[in-house]
Amino acid sequence: MVTPFATLILDVADQIATLTINRPDKLNALNRVVIDELGQAFAHLETRDDVRAVILTGAGRAFVAGADIGEIAEAAGTAAGLQGVAAHGSAVFTRIERFAKPVIAAVNGFALGGGFELALACHVRLASTHAKFGLPEARLGLIPGYGGTQRLPRLIGQGRALQLILTGDQVDAETAARLGIANEVVAPDMLPEAARSLAKAMLKNGPLALAHAIAAVTGGAALPLEAALALESEHFGAVGRTADMREGTTAFLEKRAPTFRGA
Ligand code: COA
């Protein structure tokens, strides 16, 4: 199924939505339209019961080569300046991070600047051997503004994150995997199938368990440990009240496969 986005292609099959950023002539750079449509697409996918996981990827040779530099230069000269641009993009990326269904970034090529930050907002990242990750903002006299200064140090540690941010250097897929940025590296032609099979492995589990696990991990990341552990307990209690939890434990004890119904 295709929905009427100017810059995104949406395809749904087997309960998995593939959202492709489709501005290949500009290496899928994030202009205002792409950011807005990403927000609209995730709002749309949230309401669709036939979608249980999302794969985010880019058309052509890039995942996303960053925020649209032309628009950034223009916005910097306006009264609202870049703070509003950053807040708007960040809100959309946070919506993706808090999405209640798994979101997998299939990083097919350049993931630079806002593109790297978009991948960081996804729950897991698969990289093709062609992928390149980098935060080149400092080379433009900028800093990352869509979560890069916060999500990257939380993922790989402050020293490693600062090295990438302060140099603007790109790293290849293997280095990204070694640093913990990419979960796995696969051959370019295997990337779509690898992303689908990872989604399918997740979808064997109950949707409520997946939603509560995502909420506990992403919600807890910003909290002190004690509050984060309390949050985990709340989610543990909430899944404990579901029929899916009773089905999962009963199926184990009865030595059969569970049938989760999302209730
Ligand atoms: N914003 C706007 N346009 C961009 C862009 C961006 N972030 N990244 C690439 N493009 C455009 C180029 O301007 C070019 O458009 P044109 O054909 O109309 O001139 C097109 O995409 C192809 O890019 P090009 O630079 O010709 O490809 P390349 O293979 O020589 O280089 C990159 C690829 C990714 C190394 C290079 O495009 C680049 O450095 N992009 C900017 C990355 C960046 O700084 N991102 C952070 C932004 S805050």
Side-chain angles (χ1 to χ4, degrees):
M1 182 198 152
V2 177
T3 43
F5 296 113
T7 62
L8 304 176
I9 300 169
L10 174 61
D11 179 67
V12 178
D14 306 327
Q15 301 189 301
I16 302 166
T18 300
L19 202 51
T20 305
I21 301 175
N22 188 33
R23 239 193 129 201
D25 53 325
K26 295 291 177 193
L27 303 186
N28 305 322
L30 300 172
N31 63 9
R32 174 89 193 193
V33 180
V34 180
I35 296 275
D36 285 347
E37 289 194 342
L38 279 171
Q40 290 158 17
F42 276 89
H44 166 74
L45 293 172
E46 209 164 64
T47 65
R48 283 187 60 166
D49 291 338
D50 63 328
V51 170
R52 292 184 50 212
V54 181
I55 295 168
L56 191 58
T57 193
R61 64 192 175 99
F63 175 69
V64 167
D68 188 300
I69 295 172
E71 277 194 5
I72 292 284
E74 224 171 84
T78 66
L82 288 185
Q83 191 167 348
V85 172
H88 178 63
S90 255
V92 171
F93 286 17
T94 297
R95 168 170 219 151
I96 295 171
E97 182 176 54
R98 303 227 171 125
F99 199 63
K101 310 168 192 186
V103 182
I104 298 167
V107 182
N108 51 303
F110 291 114
L112 303 177
F116 190 176
E117 293 170 295
L118 179 59
L120 288 170
C122 296
H123 300 138
V124 298
R125 286 149 294 281
L126 299 188
S128 112
T129 48
H130 288 165
K132 295 255 191 274
F133 296 82
L135 291 171
E137 285 88 343
R139 295 183 179 187
L140 300 166
L142 284 164
I143 67 166
Y146 292 159
T149 67
Q150 303 307 309
R151 290 197 178 96
L152 188 60
R154 282 167 168 80
L155 185 65
I156 67 171
Q158 188 165 308
R160 289 169 159 188
L162 274 170
Q163 183 174 341
L164 290 180
I165 292 167
L166 298 181
T167 60
D169 283 349
Q170 291 178 18
V171 294
D172 62 15
E174 290 297 344
T175 307
R178 188 171 45 75
L179 290 172
I181 294 165
N183 294 58
E184 282 172 41
V185 180
V186 298
D189 58 339
M190 297 303 293
L191 184 63
E193 193 41 46
R196 293 187 69 75
S197 67
L198 179 58
K200 283 180 187 164
M202 294 174 180
L203 296 190
K204 284 187 187 148
N205 301 319
L208 295 176
L210 298 182
H212 282 287
I214 291 167
V217 170
T218 61
L223 299 173
L225 184 60
E226 207 172 321
L229 290 172
L231 180 74
E232 183 190 67
S233 298
E234 266 176 47
H235 285 288
F236 196 71
V239 280
R241 293 188 287 275
T242 64
D244 276 359
M245 180 269 175
R246 285 191 296 282
E247 167 63 8
T249 49
T250 304
F252 175 82
L253 295 172
E254 292 177 354
K255 301 190 187 304
R256 62 174 172 82
T259 305
F260 295 118
R261 298 188 196 288

